């Protein structure tokens, strides 16, 4: 049945074979085309804008899958999930980042206490989670955007060099006094967990769902240089520093997504670990200028503006992705597309259609 909860419903139609359906965690637009990532797949789906057929404001479908193994030499196995959590389109490239975090097995119904105790003690790392990459977008012969390993103009799909265990980012963080101790803790235990990505020039902002330290959420600022066959971290200044830390007052919540709109940075914030709780959209006014003028290795942002509070459920309807709607899709008023992981019955229509929300800017 169509989404009855919201008058601002946006319908996404997938297929049984789609890489991403109910685990939406990243989104970006290029014109009328919507790109989405999920945290249980190793690929990206592209959807076309379609004519609306019901009460929803927007409808997207005719999905096409782009497996990452077709585009990159991955650090892990081709069929191993990448836990993609952040996505951004910038200057003809689609950027994606994995959580970079460890995972812990969960207890299961039907297993005895001893078996579940063993499961709960097992911590592992999927190598593809430690992925930071850029993928060229180019038009095919029909004028439709596609992701390619190498574009006709010479742009190439590149990733941060590394293997299934580490890369230059995790190496740089290993001895950091704030984040180093959390690199060996699974993301759902308030360990290290990247869940947001925003781009300004060559600078990337990586938003952390965890750790949240005494109520402070964190952004990592890094600078990326594209070489012939890989991405690399380059120093942010003459000190040789490879990252800066920005601590944000999100009232105990972690970062679930990031998006620049003009000079402001919008931060989707929600519970860390596996908690249900309030999900809000915060705004950092003038963030681009403040980031450009800052030279300090650690900075505390004193105050953010609250922009919206988003709906959530118990174990369902967790807002995980936010991106600006192109003006031609927003009806002339600035608006966000918000997508939800684990959609509940009110956000599903049959087996393969889910609903996000259009949220007006404040």
């Amino acid at each position: 049945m169509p989404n009855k909860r919201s008058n601002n419903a946006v319908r996404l139609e997938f297929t049984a074979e789609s890489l991403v359906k109910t685990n939406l965690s990243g989104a970006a637009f290029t014109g009328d085309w919507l790109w989405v990532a999920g945290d249980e797949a190793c690929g990206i789906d592209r959807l076309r804008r379609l004519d609306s057929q019901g009460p929803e404001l927007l409808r997207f479908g005719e999905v096409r899958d782009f497996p990452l193994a077709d585009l990159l030499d991955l650090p892990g196995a081709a069929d191993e999930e990448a836990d993609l959590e952040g996505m951004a389109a910038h200057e003809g490239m689609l950027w994606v980042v994995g959580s970079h975090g460890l995972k812990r097995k969960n207890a299961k119904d039907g297993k005895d206490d001893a078996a579940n105790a063993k499961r709960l003690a097992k911590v592992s790392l999927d190598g593809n989670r430690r992925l930071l990459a850029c993928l060229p977008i180019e038009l095919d012969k029909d004028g439709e955007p596609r992701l390619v390993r190498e574009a006709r103009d010479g742009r190439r799909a590149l990733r941060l060099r590394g293997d299934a265990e580490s890369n230059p980012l995790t190496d740089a963080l290993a001895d950091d006094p704030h984040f180093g101790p959390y690199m060996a803790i699974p993301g759902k235990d308030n360990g290290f967990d990247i869940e947001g990505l925003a781009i300004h020039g060559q600078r990337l902002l990586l938003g952390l769902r965890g750790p949240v330290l005494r109520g402070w959420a964190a952004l990592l600022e890094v600078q990326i240089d594209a070489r012939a066959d890989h991405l690399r971290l380059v120093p942010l200044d003459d000190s040789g520093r490879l990252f800066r830390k920005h601590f944000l007052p999100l009232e105990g919540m972690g970062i679930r997504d990031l998006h620049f709109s003009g000079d402001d940075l919008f931060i989707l914030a929600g519970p860390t670990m596996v908690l249900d709780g309030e999900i809000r959209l915060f705004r950092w006014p003038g963030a681009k200028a403040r980031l450009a003028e800052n030279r300090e290795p650690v900075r505390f942002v004193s105050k953010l503006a609250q922009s919206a509070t988003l709906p959530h459920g118990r174990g369902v309807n967790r807002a995980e992705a936010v991106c600006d709607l192109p003006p031609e899709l927003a009806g002339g008023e600035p608006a966000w597309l918000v997508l939800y992981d684990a959609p509940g019955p009110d956000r599903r229509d049959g087996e393969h259609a889910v609903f996000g929300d259009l949220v007006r800017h404040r």
Side-chain angles (χ1 to χ4, degrees):
M1 60 185 297
N3 182 342
K4 292 183 177 180
R5 184 202 55 78
S6 172
N7 294 322
N8 300 313
V10 178
R11 180 184 178 94
L12 278 60
E13 298 175 355
F14 296 95
T15 67
E17 295 76 28
S18 296
L19 290 169
V20 183
K21 285 186 291 188
T22 61
N23 55 315
L24 298 168
S25 59
F29 277 101
T30 53
D32 280 357
W33 303 85
L34 173 63
W35 306 87
V36 294
D39 56 17
E40 296 178 9
C42 192
I44 295 164
D45 279 353
R46 186 206 69 194
L47 296 93
R48 176 201 294 269
R49 184 193 178 187
L50 305 174
D51 292 336
S52 295
Q53 294 181 338
E56 69 269 0
L57 294 177
L58 290 168
R59 174 176 166 239
F60 296 89
E62 296 183 10
V63 64
R64 178 175 174 183
D65 297 329
F66 292 91
L68 289 180
D70 293 347
L71 303 167
L72 295 161
D73 298 323
L74 295 169
D79 60 350
E80 186 178 73
E81 74 173 41
D83 198 23
L84 296 180
E85 295 287 358
M87 175 185 287
H90 182 69
E91 296 183 347
M93 305 291 279
L94 192 67
W95 289 77
V96 293
V97 65
S99 67
H100 279 65
L102 303 177
K103 64 179 185 179
R104 183 185 301 278
K105 276 189 175 289
N106 200 357
K108 276 190 173 182
D109 292 339
K111 292 188 177 292
D112 62 29
D113 290 347
N116 274 331
K118 289 183 71 172
R119 288 180 62 83
L120 203 58
K122 186 171 183 180
V123 173
S124 61
L125 171 66
D126 293 332
N128 289 337
R129 289 175 169 237
R130 295 197 162 170
L131 180 69
L132 173 61
C134 62
L135 309 167
I137 304 170
E138 72 170 8
L139 300 182
D140 64 17
K141 59 182 177 58
D142 297 318
E144 298 182 359
R146 61 175 182 166
L147 300 177
V148 295
R149 185 178 279 260
E150 184 168 0
R152 291 184 293 271
D153 61 8
R155 291 172 298 132
R156 299 178 61 190
L158 302 172
R159 69 172 176 89
L160 192 63
R161 176 172 284 172
D163 56 28
E165 296 296 328
S166 65
N167 63 27
L169 178 61
T170 59
D171 290 344
L173 291 167
D175 295 325
D176 181 75
H178 296 112
F179 304 121
Y182 290 88
M183 300 302 292
I185 299 174
K188 287 186 169 57
D189 298 346
N190 197 39
F192 188 80
D193 186 5
I194 297 173
E195 288 218 2
L197 171 66
I199 302 175
H200 178 46
Q202 288 185 290
R203 301 286 176 93
L204 305 185
L205 294 180
L206 305 174
L208 303 187
R209 179 177 175 178
V212 173
L213 303 178
R214 198 58 190 265
W216 291 91
L219 288 173
L220 293 176
E221 178 186 358
V222 298
Q223 184 160 294
I224 296 292
D225 182 38
R227 289 303 175 101
D229 59 350
H230 66 278
L231 301 175
R232 70 181 187 120
L233 295 184
V234 295
L236 290 159
D237 51 40
D238 293 340
S239 73
R241 186 175 297 112
L242 293 178
F243 62 90
R244 293 194 182 111
K245 297 176 281 190
H246 303 270
F247 288 102
L248 308 179
L250 300 183
E251 301 180 18
M253 293 182 280
I255 296 170
R256 309 303 287 269
D257 205 1
L258 299 171
H259 193 87
F260 276 118
S261 182
D263 291 331
D264 298 345
L265 180 67
F266 284 80
I267 302 132
L268 184 66
T272 187
M273 301 191 290
V274 290
L275 301 171
D276 289 322
E278 194 165 66
I279 298 175
R280 301 183 205 165
L281 195 58
F282 290 81
R283 179 170 62 92
W284 183 1
K288 283 185 178 178
R290 295 174 185 273
L291 289 164
E293 68 190 16
N294 177 61
R295 294 295 181 271
E296 297 300 321
V298 182
R299 187 172 185 272
F300 286 79
V301 180
S302 59
K303 188 176 182 180
L304 300 172
Q306 290 196 36
S307 182
T309 298
L310 298 170
H312 68 277
R314 291 181 61 84
V316 298
N317 297 342
R318 298 184 292 258
E320 290 252 354
V322 62
C323 63
D324 239 345
L325 274 167
E328 59 271 20
L329 299 184
E333 296 183 37
W336 300 108
L337 173 66
V338 180
L339 300 180
Y340 298 80
D341 188 17
D346 59 331
R347 291 195 174 276
R348 303 184 69 136
D349 186 10
E351 291 294 318
H352 310 307
V354 298
F355 294 91
D357 284 331
L358 184 150
V359 177
R360 297 295 178 187
H361 283 209
R362 294 183 183 177

